[in-house]
Amino acid sequence: MATTLRSIRGVVPLLDRILVQRMKAEAKTASGLYIPEKNVEKLSEAKVLAVGPGALDKDGKRITPGVAPGDRVLIPPFGGSTIKIGDEDYLLFRDSEILAKLTDEK
C-alpha cells in the first residue's frame, strides 16, 4: 500500500541525498506571447529544499554535502528519483550528481 504525503516537508533525505525542485521556465516570451506548456523547455536549475546529513567514508567519518537548503544548483537533465506531491514534482539526487552550485556573484 502506497503512502500519501500531504507536504514535501514529510520527505527527509538520508545520507548524501539532496531534495530539489526544478525551477519553472518562463512560459511567456519577452514580447508577451505565451508558449504552450508542452513546448516550454525544462530548466537544469533547481532550488535545494532539504539535504541529508552526508554519506560515511571508509573510516566512518561523515562527509558533509556541498550544498544547503535554499541554494540554487545545476542538475543533470535526466536522473534523480522523482517524488510527486499534488501537481508538483520534486527530485532526489545524490550529492555527487549535483553539477554546480549557483551564486549571484558577478
Side-chain angles (χ1 to χ4, degrees):
M1 181 175 199
T3 301
T4 303
L5 295 172
R6 296 173 193 227
S7 168
I8 196 62
R9 292 184 181 137
V11 178
V12 179
L14 300 176
L15 298 175
D16 64 339
R17 289 184 177 73
I18 314 247
L19 179 67
V20 301
Q21 184 175 26
R22 193 181 298 270
M23 302 297 263
K24 304 270 188 230
E26 212 35 64
K28 188 170 149 183
T29 65
S31 61
L33 298 175
Y34 286 95
I35 302 170
E37 191 173 312
K38 66 179 182 174
N39 294 343
V40 175
E41 195 172 311
K42 285 186 176 180
L43 294 179
S44 295
E45 184 178 333
K47 181 178 179 183
V48 176
L49 302 176
V51 178
L56 300 175
D57 66 8
K58 63 182 177 182
D59 298 325
K61 295 179 184 174
R62 192 152 312 269
I63 302 168
T64 306
V67 296
D71 287 347
R72 290 181 313 126
V73 294
L74 285 180
I75 56 174
F78 302 102
S81 300
T82 303
I83 300 170
K84 188 167 184 77
I85 297 178
D87 294 336
E88 297 290 328
D89 285 337
Y90 302 91
L91 298 161
L92 268 175
F93 284 97
R94 290 188 178 273
D95 186 38
S96 61
E97 295 173 333
I98 301 293
L99 303 176
K101 181 176 170 179
L102 302 173
T103 62
D104 290 327
E105 294 181 22
K106 295 180 182 181

